[in-house]
Amino acid sequence: MTFIKSFISPIVSVKWLHERLNAENLVVLDGTIAKPFDASHEQILNAKFFDIKQKFSDTTKEFPSAFPSAQQFQKEARVLGINQNSAIVVYDDKGIYSSARVWWLFKAFGFDNVAVLNGGFPEWKKAGFPTEKMKPNDVEQGDFVAKLQPHYMKFFDDIVYASQDKTHKIIDARSAGRFNCKEPEPREGLRMGTIPNSVNLPYTDLLNNGVLKSKKELAKAFYMVAEQHEPIIFSCGSGITACVLALGAELSGYKNISVYDGSWTEYGTLTTGEMDKPSTWTKNELLAYILMYVSHSDLSESHVEKKYILSRVNKQVYNRVSAQFEKDSDYQSIQNIIEAVKSHDYYRNDFADLFADIKLMAFADGNYDVVEQMIYNQLKKILKDD
């Protein structure tokens, strides 16, 4: 029986893995994200399911796939039978997607004898290699020890500092459409936008049908956005595909690399948009703007109307939105509202709530006049027909 001492590369081929499936210290992990246990699902022989969402994320945090503590990671890794002398190969069912996150997590906890299966489960099946049905974990508990390596993961305060002071090159793995605010974020209620001073390299640019491109092609892709000596932070939507960039960067010889754990989901939630770009507004900014538009239908905003708006959004949001609203013409105001609603799809399921807010604000001064009714009907038609 063979023993795998160490990997010479952070990726291995399906042929390489097939030839070593019986290695004494091999642990194969299925890192497919959000995959429920199902005995009808196929897997590579003797694979163990690495549950990113529930077992290897801090589920007490607000944002998805949050970085776990060393204690949590160590405990769950041991349950999977992982030892200090294990050699880990991780795959997922998309090719290379969430498997890179698993690889990066192990490195972040001081374990380097881990590699990603190039092309993942689709390549394994394409090669005709054997599979089996998913089965419960029944291995002996391992002796894995987690040793946190702080420089692998960056968090909100780190990214704010890096962005403002330009201490790192920030590279975003999202699609060009999302990065350039031309496509809405898939997470409902999350505004569009980008981290200031970041550049875009879609993770899909590194792949051909889920298989990493050649080292030469990878090196060219990274050369276009960063020099090898630059410190780099990779970001994405929620910290998953940023790790695909980290994998490609390591293969391309980049050394000073890290991943922003919360990525755009966290940054876009904790920061405000640019007020002259409605596509980046938060839901509260949009609500405040619409209510201001209605309240100014008679060319002024009464104290009672202002009080109502402040009951729905905080003072900082009110002041920020008010400053922008005062700059905009009536025509521009309508265009801003249309763009913001379309960009974010904020009110996809709750137009009724939005229009109730508008009516309540209009009634706040005890007088729902003809002009306010006209504005209300105009907004209803524009937003519902849009």
Side-chain angles (χ1 to χ4, degrees):
M1 185 175 285
T2 58
F3 189 92
I4 302 170
K5 290 185 178 180
S6 62
F7 294 105
I8 60 174
S9 170
I11 61 168
V12 296
S13 68
V14 293
K15 181 176 181 293
W16 184 97
L17 178 60
H18 181 252
E19 291 172 349
R20 294 164 177 80
L21 265 184
N22 293 321
E24 180 182 349
N25 64 327
L26 175 68
V27 177
V28 179
L29 298 177
D30 179 353
T32 303
I33 198 163
K35 180 179 181 179
F37 178 83
D38 189 328
S40 67
H41 288 165
E42 291 182 292
Q43 65 178 22
I44 294 175
L45 300 183
N46 297 316
K48 305 294 180 291
F49 179 49
F50 186 99
D51 190 344
I52 293 176
K53 286 290 188 182
Q54 300 301 320
K55 302 296 185 181
F56 290 92
S57 293
D58 185 347
T59 58
T60 66
K61 297 292 179 63
E62 177 183 359
F63 304 106
S65 308
F67 192 56
S69 67
Q71 292 78 9
Q72 178 186 353
F73 192 88
Q74 176 174 294
K75 173 188 172 184
E76 297 298 342
R78 288 183 174 187
V79 169
L80 294 178
I82 297 171
N83 295 302
Q84 286 296 89
N85 67 350
S86 292
I88 300 171
V89 174
V90 58
Y91 71 91
D92 64 62
D93 65 5
K94 289 181 172 60
I96 293 183
Y97 183 72
S98 52
S99 52
R101 172 75 177 190
V102 181
W103 166 78
W104 194 251
L105 283 172
F106 274 103
K107 291 175 69 67
F109 286 110
F111 190 86
D112 291 321
N113 205 20
V114 56
V116 172
L117 183 64
N118 200 9
F121 197 55
E123 280 297 297
W124 183 267
K125 291 189 70 176
K126 182 179 176 181
F129 294 142
T131 64
E132 64 181 8
K133 301 299 184 183
M134 283 185 78
K135 53 189 180 183
N137 181 33
D138 60 354
V139 296
E140 183 178 341
Q141 182 162 303
D143 62 11
F144 174 83
V145 176
K147 298 179 181 178
L148 178 63
Q149 310 297 305
H151 60 284
Y152 276 83
M153 281 292 184
K154 301 295 184 183
F155 302 95
F156 181 73
D157 289 344
D158 301 318
I159 204 74
V160 169
Y161 177 75
S163 172
Q164 291 177 347
D165 287 27
K166 300 181 182 180
T167 58
H168 293 67
K169 178 62 69 71
I170 302 170
I171 304 179
D172 193 319
R174 292 177 298 164
S175 68
R178 289 167 65 188
F179 181 82
N180 293 311
C181 300
K182 294 181 178 179
E183 297 172 2
E185 288 296 312
R187 185 178 177 87
E188 187 174 357
L190 177 62
R191 70 180 180 89
M192 292 195 294
T194 58
I195 297 169
N197 297 313
S198 61
V199 297
N200 186 215
L201 175 58
Y203 83 95
T204 51
D205 286 4
L206 307 188
L207 305 169
N208 280 324
N209 297 318
V211 178
L212 276 171
K213 293 180 178 179
S214 68
K215 285 189 176 182
K216 184 177 180 180
E217 290 173 297
L218 293 177
K220 181 179 179 181
F222 282 101
Y223 175 75
M224 298 302 291
V225 292
E227 301 291 340
Q228 282 203 348
H229 68 273
E230 289 184 280
I232 298 172
I233 301 174
F234 295 113
S235 180
C236 58
S238 62
I240 301 298
T241 58
C243 299
V244 178
L245 293 191
L247 178 63
E250 182 159 312
L251 280 164
S252 302
Y254 288 75
K255 303 297 183 184
N256 193 353
I257 58 179
S258 54
V259 167
Y260 173 25
D261 186 53
S263 286
W264 180 252
T265 298
E266 178 181 65
Y267 191 90
T269 301
L270 299 183
T271 58
T272 61
E274 298 176 58
M275 290 313 302
D276 61 348
K277 295 180 180 178
S279 63
T280 71
W281 290 357
T282 65
K283 187 171 184 176
N284 281 342
E285 287 167 344
L286 172 57
L287 176 60
Y289 195 93
I290 290 174
L291 295 181
M292 284 180 195
Y293 180 75
V294 177
S295 72
H296 282 77
S297 60
D298 58 358
L299 304 181
S300 66
E301 179 182 87
S302 72
H303 172 73
V304 176
E305 288 170 330
K306 178 178 179 180
K307 185 177 179 181
Y308 180 79
I309 300 173
L310 284 168
S311 74
R312 301 292 288 116
V313 301
N314 66 43
K315 190 173 182 179
Q316 290 74 23
V317 170
Y318 179 90
N319 290 339
R320 188 163 58 246
V321 174
S322 181
Q324 180 62 40
F325 184 81
E326 290 175 4
K327 299 177 185 177
D328 298 330
S329 65
D330 282 351
Y331 173 79
Q332 186 59 55
S333 294
I334 284 293
Q335 297 307 306
N336 288 347
I337 291 168
I338 292 172
E339 181 182 349
V341 171
K342 181 189 294 184
S343 297
H344 299 282
D345 210 7
Y346 276 156
Y347 291 100
R348 177 173 53 203
N349 299 318
D350 53 4
F351 266 114
D353 291 341
L354 171 60
F355 293 124
D357 252 320
I358 294 171
K359 275 192 172 181
L360 286 169
M361 201 283 307
F363 275 118
D365 59 3
N367 181 30
Y368 186 36
D369 61 34
V370 174
V371 178
E372 287 173 329
Q373 290 179 46
M374 183 182 70
I375 293 294
Y376 172 82
N377 290 328
Q378 179 189 26
L379 281 172
K380 198 166 188 178
K381 185 177 187 305
I382 289 172
L383 298 180
K384 284 203 168 184
D385 288 350
D386 183 56

